[in-house]
Amino acid sequence: MYHTLAVLVENSPGVLARVAGLFSRRGYNIDSLAVGRTDNPAISRMTIVVEGDERVLEQVSKQLHKLVDVIKISDITSSPHVDRELVLIKVNTDAGSRGEIMQIAQIFRANIVDYGHKNLTLECTGNQEKINAFEEALRPFGIKELVRTGKVAMLRGAKYTNINRTKEED
Amino acid sequence: MEITCAEALVRCLEMEGVELIFGYPGGAILPVYDALKDSKIKHILTRHEQGAAHAASGYARTTGRVGVCMATSGPGATNLVTGLANAYMDSIPLVAITGQVPTVQVGTDAFQEVDITGITMPITKHNYLVKDPKMLPMIVKRAFHIARTGRPGPVLIDLPKDIAMTPIQFKYPDDVKLMGYKPTVKGHGAQINQAAKLIMQAQRPVIYIGGGVVNANASEELVWLAETIDAPVVSTLMGLGAFPGDHPLFLGMLGLHGNKAANLAVTECDLLITLGARFDDRVTGRVAGFAPRARVIHVDIDPAEISKNVISHLPIVGDTKKVLEALLVRLDKKQNTTWINTVGYWKHEFAPRYRPGGEYLKPQYIIEEIYRHTGGDVIVATDVGQHQMWVAQHFAFKYPRKFVTSGGLGCMGFGLPGAIGAQFGRPDETVVLVTGDGSFQMTLNELATAAEQSLPLKIFVLNNRRLGMVRQLQEFYCDKRYMAVDFTFVPDFAALARVYGFKGFTVRTDQELQTALTEAFSDQGPVLVDCAIDPDENVMPMVLAGADICDALDYE
Ligand SMILES: Cc1ncc(C[n+]2csc(CCOP(=O)(O)OP(=O)(O)O)c2C)c(N)n1
């Protein structure tokens, strides 16, 4: 089963290496990892998608907790949350296929961010299923290049994950 | 007034109460050594950086204080690595300081540059590369705090040379705030209540202890617990001495070379009270066959150890001493007469034994004789191999911090430098090193350190002229196809030791052994006794790979 972890870390040098090293060293499988700073520049947030059963997940969380730079870990998998991923796809085009691609873009609410004679670059945001479907839709035209950010996620409603706690705001 | 970072570092160390540093100098760490020249901190020059790390570890193991070691960049730093891994595996508090090439050269494959923070990431509790000179005092403060609190461990500080020479306004911070580091010390009240209930209900309880009891200085509370609830105690290698080895309730070491009584007690118990131990594979044997009839209470300072290898029914995260204090007030005195009688019978019936006789001295006998000659009231350091197991089985450690050995890493070569560190930690006590001819040859360069520092070590080499433990493994697992385990050249260790100012003895008979023992423990100076032992002796009992700990091989 896949779990989505929201991990707050001190924005110190080497923190990414520490987290990534821990996963490889202990044989945990990372499906994706996205990282960037939070509203507090001293703190970064990682969204880590990891595969494993409950027992593995418990170990992953506890081992992550042992890293001095890791401030907080929340497994948000089973709580209602929004998750998003962004993809950039450069796809082959010619006069014949351009119209169809633009239609697909419309269906997926994707944007065209670069236009060339022989190719188009599209940007699409959504959950992983949508991104996968978008990729499949474009595949027949010939994908030249593709990059995904990995998933970022946040709890829905009044719940939040910050450095103090994960809690329900009254 | 401004001082250089190197001077600031030395000031920080002084303020942490550091009295000794084990180290080895070089180019990148020159500024720090220069600053040390004016300090009252004593520097012990070892003969190899591995020796410095192990000595710092031996010091920390016997004193409970943070050991400090130091090395230059590149090869100096990599030579520390084994010692750091060893300290990490055994949860020993160390601070290691390494010089680094100047900041502008970092990342350019400069002369003697290695990425030591990268290399030591998996074998340190935390590490720092100093990038901002102003941060140095805070980093040192944090390093010591992290090393000694929670589950102790080694912390490394890598200091580029240019930063070491940069002047800063010195102020040592008073407190440490780390957003991501707050060890749980106090156990959860409801869990402790629950534990008390389970304990009062249990009919066949066993207390299983590890190095965490030593680290928490919880021996006194442990004895109270065992006596209050009338439960036998079994120990890991790292826990030996935390409970008195001569106590009627003590069953000895458990696990792969554990005492049969200890392994049987764990197998038959209905409640396993685990204190500061981590269900290592050398302890559990086949996991499903470990304590199969028991509910498991697990007290540990490190939450990640809970249910890592063996599922625990009642976890209590906290400092063992604090948890025991809270637990004891919730317990009534109880007796488990039938159980204690059974266990007592096993203890008597399966006491550690060996086959006497033959043309050689028996290694187990030598250990027993060392015990007899010293009353057991000495610090014993060991290396790794059969001799280590014989010490664990036959030397009944009565007090904690008296047994200095490499447990988790099983690191040959730890013995001599570990003993050196132990002697510095406990200058008034007798330090005995029991080593094997293989292990000893890994770090015997440190004989020079011992001689230079006039350390009165008592070294016993259990000399089987081979790598005994590996030979034993090959006997059982490789169909006696012995490969790369025999030394065809072995130096005369007694003569070698004499070169270093030791009294050297070679013993083959009991009479020679007795003379040497008497000499060793009446002489004020360093003594080495090279004991020719039976090269075919095995460590028994022995649980084969994949077997349950109650199914150990033993002498017929
Ligand atoms: C650094 C290191 N290398 C290899 C080993 C594997 N090993 C474990 S015990 C042993 C033999 C030890 O021989 P010796 O020190 O003579 O002790 P004995 O077993 O003969 O008592 C070896 C090679 C180890 N534990 N550590």
Side-chain angles (χ1 to χ4, degrees):
Chain A
M1 149 144 194
Y2 287 95
H3 290 255
T4 305
L5 305 180
V7 183
L8 292 169
V9 299
E10 283 205 54
N11 204 354
S12 57
V15 63
L16 186 58
R18 283 179 211 282
V19 171
L22 178 88
F23 275 81
S24 68
R25 180 161 81 241
R26 294 196 180 260
Y28 308 140
N29 292 321
I30 301 190
D31 187 62
S32 79
L33 189 159
V35 55
R37 70 164 189 78
T38 62
D39 53 321
N40 177 346
I43 295 168
S44 288
R45 174 157 166 158
M46 297 181 177
T47 306
I48 304 175
V49 180
V50 52
E51 194 188 348
D53 58 22
E54 289 303 323
R55 186 111 190 259
V56 170
L57 245 289
E58 190 183 326
Q59 264 298 305
V60 168
S61 301
K62 285 171 165 178
Q63 294 295 343
L64 275 173
H65 249 303
K66 283 177 75 166
L67 298 178
V68 172
D69 289 334
V70 171
I71 303 166
K72 165 137 209 84
I73 301 151
S74 326
D75 184 348
I76 63 173
T77 318
S78 52
S79 313
H81 64 270
V82 247
D83 59 78
R84 287 291 178 270
E85 186 170 6
L86 184 144
V87 66
L88 291 175
I89 302 181
K90 187 174 287 178
V91 63
N92 284 332
T93 54
D94 52 37
S97 64
R98 197 163 292 140
E100 200 182 338
I101 290 174
M102 286 164 76
Q103 261 184 345
I104 292 172
Q106 233 174 7
I107 294 168
F108 283 92
R109 292 178 213 276
N111 297 317
I112 293 164
V113 291
D114 192 37
Y115 184 96
H117 271 306
K118 293 199 173 128
N119 56 60
L120 282 177
T121 304
L122 298 103
E123 167 210 310
C124 182
T125 313
N127 61 23
Q128 279 180 312
E129 294 81 72
K130 177 180 165 188
I131 302 291
N132 292 346
F134 183 56
E135 182 185 331
E136 285 317 310
L138 293 179
R139 191 177 299 285
F141 302 98
I143 293 175
K144 303 293 279 180
E145 194 179 348
L146 181 150
V147 57
R148 296 172 71 146
T149 57
K151 168 161 128 179
V152 293
M154 191 177 269
L155 290 171
R156 279 187 188 277
K159 280 184 164 181
Y160 60 87
T161 300
N162 78 7
I163 51 172
N164 301 319
R165 50 183 131 315
T166 308
K167 69 161 196 181
E168 207 107 28
E169 230 176 22
D170 336 272
Chain B
M1 197 195 68
E2 295 203 325
I3 57 176
T4 66
C5 265
E7 287 162 347
L9 170 62
V10 172
R11 286 257 196 107
C12 296
L13 298 176
E14 286 168 350
M15 297 186 78
E16 285 295 335
V18 174
E19 43 177 31
L20 285 175
I21 296 174
F22 300 92
Y24 210 98
I29 192 110
L30 271 185
V32 178
Y33 273 85
D34 195 49
L36 259 183
K37 179 95 185 154
D38 300 321
S39 169
K40 59 180 194 306
I41 297 175
K42 192 168 170 188
H43 179 269
I44 310 301
L45 179 64
T46 56
R47 293 302 183 267
H48 187 294
E49 291 86 351
Q50 180 183 183
H54 285 329
S57 173
Y59 172 87
R61 285 166 200 254
T62 47
T63 61
R65 310 183 60 189
V66 179
V68 181
C69 57
M70 196 182 274
T72 194
S73 65
T78 53
N79 275 348
L80 288 179
V81 167
T82 301
L84 293 175
N86 188 48
Y88 184 70
M89 293 293 276
D90 287 345
S91 308
I92 303 302
L94 291 193
V95 168
I97 295 156
T98 47
Q100 182 55 281
V101 299
T103 314
V104 288
Q105 289 179 9
V106 168
T108 65
D109 305 312
F111 177 64
Q112 293 194 330
E113 181 193 358
V114 298
D115 171 16
I116 198 63
T117 47
I119 290 172
T120 58
M121 229 172 241
I123 52 164
T124 51
K125 191 170 166 187
H126 195 54
N127 61 25
Y128 293 97
L129 169 62
V130 186
K131 290 187 159 169
D132 176 358
K134 288 193 301 298
M135 280 299 289
L136 180 96
M138 181 54 98
I139 287 175
V140 179
K141 181 86 186 178
R142 287 179 177 176
F144 275 84
H145 176 70
I146 293 168
R148 84 174 134 233
T149 56
R151 179 177 181 172
V155 179
L156 179 134
I157 302 172
D158 197 23
L159 181 61
K161 191 174 183 180
D162 57 321
I163 294 196
M165 296 189 298
T166 306
I168 55 165
Q169 200 70 44
F170 179 73
K171 183 180 176 298
Y172 201 47
D174 311 313
D175 76 339
V176 217
K177 280 199 203 73
L178 285 159
M179 282 189 285
Y181 180 75
K182 294 180 192 92
T184 309
V185 176
K186 200 168 153 258
H188 192 281
Q191 301 286 91
I192 296 175
N193 280 338
Q194 192 59 31
K197 217 188 254 167
L198 286 182
I199 290 171
M200 294 316 290
Q201 286 164 1
Q203 288 169 356
R204 302 185 309 277
V206 165
I207 303 172
Y208 151 45
I209 64 165
V213 178
V214 178
N215 280 341
N217 299 312
S219 291
E220 222 174 294
E221 291 77 8
L222 171 62
V223 174
W224 283 349
L225 175 71
E227 291 178 352
T228 306
I229 66 169
D230 201 21
V233 177
V234 302
S235 175
T236 67
L237 184 72
M238 293 304 296
L240 291 176
F243 190 80
D246 53 357
H247 194 288
L249 285 170
F250 190 60
L251 301 183
M253 184 170 75
L254 81 166
L256 259 61
H257 290 302
N259 289 347
K260 187 163 182 180
N263 286 348
L264 280 175
V266 168
T267 306
E268 294 303 326
C269 71
D270 65 353
L271 181 68
L272 189 69
I273 306 163
T274 311
L275 305 175
R278 59 186 178 91
F279 301 89
D280 178 79
D281 53 273
R282 298 292 132 140
V283 158
T284 60
R286 194 177 70 95
V287 173
F290 184 75
R293 293 174 248 294
R295 296 178 71 78
V296 174
I297 297 175
H298 190 182
V299 180
D300 207 289
I301 188 85
D302 181 358
E305 290 303 340
I306 306 286
S307 297
K308 185 178 81 178
N309 299 335
V310 167
I311 302 284
S312 99
H313 303 96
L314 184 67
I316 304 175
V317 175
D319 175 81
T320 306
K321 190 185 182 83
K322 293 259 158 34
V323 172
L324 286 184
E325 280 169 357
L327 182 62
L328 282 164
V329 298
R330 291 166 163 90
L331 293 172
D332 298 319
K333 190 142 179 83
K334 68 179 287 210
Q335 260 161 359
N336 311 302
T337 315
T338 324
W339 175 234
I340 291 298
N341 286 345
T342 312
V343 167
Y345 167 77
W346 289 335
K347 179 173 173 171
H348 175 79
E349 191 66 15
F350 308 120
R353 61 206 170 117
Y354 54 92
R355 281 202 204 114
E359 52 173 320
Y360 292 97
L361 280 169
K362 287 289 171 179
Q364 302 92 333
Y365 172 74
I366 298 171
I367 306 297
E368 289 174 353
E369 288 301 290
I370 294 174
Y371 188 89
R372 197 171 63 81
H373 276 256
T374 59
D377 197 11
V378 287
I379 289 171
V380 180
T382 73
D383 259 298
V384 171
Q386 294 180 312
H387 63 277
Q388 178 189 33
M389 291 299 113
W390 288 320
V391 171
Q393 295 174 333
H394 295 271
F395 200 97
F397 291 92
K398 285 184 266 195
Y399 307 102
R401 302 197 183 281
K402 298 277 189 179
F403 183 35
V404 178
T405 199
S406 167
L409 193 67
C411 178
M412 290 172 71
F414 170 73
L416 178 57
I420 289 173
Q423 186 74 80
F424 274 107
R426 296 274 171 227
D428 300 330
E429 294 187 43
T430 303
V431 175
V432 175
L433 167 65
V434 178
T435 180
D437 48 307
S439 298
F440 190 44
Q441 291 187 75
M442 282 207 173
T443 49
L444 55 68
N445 49 348
E446 301 300 344
L447 283 173
T449 310
E452 186 169 81
Q453 301 292 338
S454 314
L455 303 181
L457 300 180
K458 316 296 178 188
I459 301 177
F460 293 81
V461 184
L462 301 193
N463 189 348
N464 47 18
R465 306 179 68 87
R466 51 171 44 155
L467 302 172
M469 185 58 99
V470 180
R471 187 210 57 81
Q472 178 169 348
L473 294 177
Q474 291 175 348
E475 177 180 337
F476 288 94
Y477 296 117
C478 307
D479 230 1
K480 302 193 180 176
R481 286 159 51 86
Y482 298 121
M483 172 69 192
V485 290
D486 284 312
F487 293 127
T488 50
F489 174 83
V490 180
D492 177 344
F493 290 116
L496 181 82
R498 275 180 227 123
V499 174
Y500 287 95
F502 283 60
K503 272 195 184 162
F505 298 90
T506 307
V507 304
R508 285 181 195 81
T509 64
D510 188 26
Q511 202 178 7
E512 288 168 347
L513 175 68
Q514 296 304 332
T515 313
L517 279 165
T518 309
E519 275 284 329
F521 295 112
S522 55
D523 195 283
Q524 300 298 306
V527 177
L528 181 144
V529 186
D530 181 10
C531 313
I533 61 161
D534 188 342
D536 294 323
E537 189 66 28
N538 280 331
V539 180
M540 287 292 162
M542 177 186 190
V543 179
L544 291 176
D548 295 349
I549 56 167
C550 59
D551 291 332
L553 295 182
D554 207 342
Y555 302 112
E556 265 74 67

